[in-house]
């Protein structure tokens, strides 16, 4: 099916894009990778009357480390993240996720910032951003603000990006040497939405206890959610099977999925716990922790 | 909106509605029906084309206006005259197609893969083609075909 008619405005600068958004208000949408927006328009789930294409803006597809963070520009595509050696080496959680988003062709177009803005309940990047404690840089006519991911993801397909604003960049804190993470996802087939997903990131102190913990789950409610109670259990604890199980149980506890052809509610809630557990185990293995007891 | 798109080396200047999808632009405005349309929802990969030589896109999920000023390579652009591209020859030799419906997408996804990875491993080929469906389920021969083409296109140096 064809999308409803719209006006196409290619932007060649961020200012040009913002001017177009300001002029057209809620009728306008940003077109980045288009891998969620275009299918949504084809199914008439979205009917923007103006598309502001940010692909022509030069220099928006950057991936770079600066001031202790990995900066991903609004034009940065999943594929670029997947193949960047420094991401594979240091950003384990992000690397894991980049390899399982949609399918390899879609990843050559889809963008990370676009996915965060789309905020699909089963999207991957919201989960990763929560576990990694990312921030999103949002610019509008009134200026630029940096929004913590917890405040950015508001509800299904709803974010903190207001009318006339656009998300310019996602910022992921650079993990230190004692930090690792893991992304776990169950999908029926490549390219399907997640049946269940979990993102985990841990930092160990010199004495082996957990100094920082990020735990989030996806396809478990209206938007990706942080498992606050799991983080509390992990923080300060010495990793053990019992601690991991207790943290995983909290994920199951707050998982609030919908029943669909991918599974019933009980199964998906169970999987939220299982995936958090697997993610924690994989993270500790990467941190070269010995056998857990 | 008037757009200029170079397809397989030929410039096409056409007046299109912004909502025209690239797959339909290629088929209906350029007359290049080698690019197929299958699921029409970004799942099956039969519509894959290359943009600017090194990015594979599902052309049912990109607007033609986004290709303005860019170069598109479709399956029609692979052969040089009567000489098949090594990928096409390998699909022929290895029986990499049955009904042929998915073949243009398989070829173009493989074409971009080999641009990035001249010597992909078997798992890398399987992974790269994970967004392309073959409902004849001829995957094994498709993988073999891509392996043969990769070997053909970048022969290993012979030991002295």
């Amino acid at each position: 099916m064809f999308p409803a008619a719209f006006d196409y405005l290619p932007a060649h600068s961020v200012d040009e894009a913002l001017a177009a958004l300001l002029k057209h208000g809620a009728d306008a949408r940003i077109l980045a990778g288009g891998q969620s927006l275009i299918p949504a328009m084809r199914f008439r789930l979205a009917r923007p009357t103006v598309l502001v294409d940010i692909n022509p803006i030069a220099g928006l597809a950057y991936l770079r480390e600066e001031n202790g963070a990995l900066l991903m520009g609004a034009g940065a595509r999943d594929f670029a993240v997947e193949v960047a050696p420094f991401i594979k080496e240091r950003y384990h959680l992000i690397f894991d996720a980049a390899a399982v988003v949609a399918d390899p062709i879609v990843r050559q177009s889809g963008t990370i910032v676009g996915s965060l803005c789309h905020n699909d309940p089963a999207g991957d990047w919201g989960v990763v951003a929560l576990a990694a404690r990312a921030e999103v840089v949002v610019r509008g006519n009134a200026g630029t603000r940096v929004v913590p991911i917890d405040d950015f993801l508001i509800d299904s397909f709803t974010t903190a990006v207001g009318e006339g604003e656009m998300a310019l960049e996602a910022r992921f804190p650079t993990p230190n040497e004692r930090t690792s993470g893991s992304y776990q996802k169950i999908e029926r087939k490549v390219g399907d939405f997640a049946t269940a997903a979990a993102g985990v990131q841990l930092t160990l102190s010199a004495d082996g206890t957990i100094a920082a913990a990020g735990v989030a789950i996806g396809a478990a409610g209206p938007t990706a959610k942080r498992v606050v109670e799991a983080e509390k259990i992990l923080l300060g604890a010495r990793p053990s099977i019992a601690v991991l199980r207790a943290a995983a149980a909290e994920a199951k506890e707050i998982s609030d999925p919908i029943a669909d052809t991918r599974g019933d509610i009980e199964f998906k809630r169970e999987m939220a716990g299982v995936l958090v557990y697997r993610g924690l185990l994989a993270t500790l293995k990467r941190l070269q922790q010995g056998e857990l007891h | 909106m008037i757009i200029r798109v170079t397809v397989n080396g030929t410039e096409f200047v056409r007046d299109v509605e912004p909502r025209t999808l690239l797959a339909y632009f290629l088929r209906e405005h350029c007359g290049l029906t080698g690019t197929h349309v299958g699921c029409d929802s970004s799942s099956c990969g039969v519509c894959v084309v290359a943009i600017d030589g090194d990015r594979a896109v599902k052309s049912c999920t990109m607007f033609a206006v986004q290709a303005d000023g860019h170069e598109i390579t479709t399956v029609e652009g692979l052969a040089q005259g009567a000489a098949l591209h090594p990928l096409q020859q390998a699909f022929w030799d290895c029986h990499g197609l049955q009904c042929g419906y998915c073949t243009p997408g398989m070829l173009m996804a493989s074409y971009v893969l080999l641009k990035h990875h001249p010597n992909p491993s078997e798992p890398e080929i399987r992974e790269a083609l994970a967004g392309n469906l073959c409902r004849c389920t001829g995957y094994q021969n498709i993988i073999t075909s891509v392996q043969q083409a990769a070997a053909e296109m970048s022969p290993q140096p012979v030991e002295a």
Side-chain angles (χ1 to χ4, degrees), chain A residues 17 20 27 40 82 95 133 135 144 157 181 186 199 208 216 235 254 263 271:
Chain A
D27 295 334
E82 192 182 349
F95 176 74
R133 293 194 153 70
E135 298 171 319
T144 303
F157 308 109
I186 298 176
L235 199 61
I254 67 157
M271 288 306 106

Side-chain angles (χ1 to χ4, degrees), chain B:
Chain B
M1 178 177 170
I2 307 281
I3 58 170
R4 293 171 175 274
V5 185
T6 303
V7 185
N8 305 327
T10 303
E11 187 179 64
F12 289 83
V13 182
R14 296 287 188 273
D15 189 2
V16 299
E17 264 196 281
R19 62 174 167 167
T20 307
L21 295 150
L22 181 60
Y24 292 86
F25 171 78
L26 294 168
R27 292 176 58 85
E28 294 169 8
H29 294 256
C30 305
L32 296 167
T33 53
T35 299
H36 294 169
V37 174
C39 71
D40 221 2
S41 58
S42 192
S43 298
C44 78
V46 305
C47 66
V48 171
V49 300
I51 177 162
D52 298 328
D54 63 358
R55 177 157 72 96
V57 297
K58 293 185 173 178
S59 62
C60 76
T61 308
M62 175 174 167
F63 295 114
V65 288
Q66 294 181 270
D68 186 24
H70 291 275
E71 290 185 19
I72 302 294
T73 310
T74 69
V75 69
E76 289 95 337
L78 290 182
Q80 300 294 314
L84 293 180
H85 185 279
L87 271 164
Q88 293 171 306
Q89 188 63 51
F91 271 64
W92 181 314
D93 294 344
C94 304
H95 195 51
L97 65 158
Q98 291 177 48
C99 84
Y101 203 83
C102 73
T103 313
M106 290 289 180
L107 286 167
M108 297 316 297
S110 303
Y111 173 78
V112 172
L113 167 68
L114 295 183
K115 290 260 175 174
H116 293 291
H117 291 287
N119 289 299
S121 64
E122 186 187 321
E124 282 171 339
I125 297 170
R126 288 182 184 276
E127 169 60 25
L129 296 179
N132 294 71
L133 301 182
C134 166
R135 293 298 75 173
C136 303
T137 70
Y139 295 106
Q140 191 56 53
N141 287 352
I142 291 169
I143 308 297
T144 309
S145 302
V146 179
Q147 286 175 311
Q148 175 180 309
E152 175 77 18
M153 290 166 71
S154 57
Q156 299 298 316
V158 180
E159 302 243 352

Side-chain angles (χ1 to χ4, degrees), chain A residues 43-57:
Chain A
F43 291 119
R44 306 284 173 118
L45 299 170
R47 296 183 74 142
T49 56
V50 174
L51 280 191
V52 180
D53 187 357
I54 60 168
N55 287 284
I57 301 176

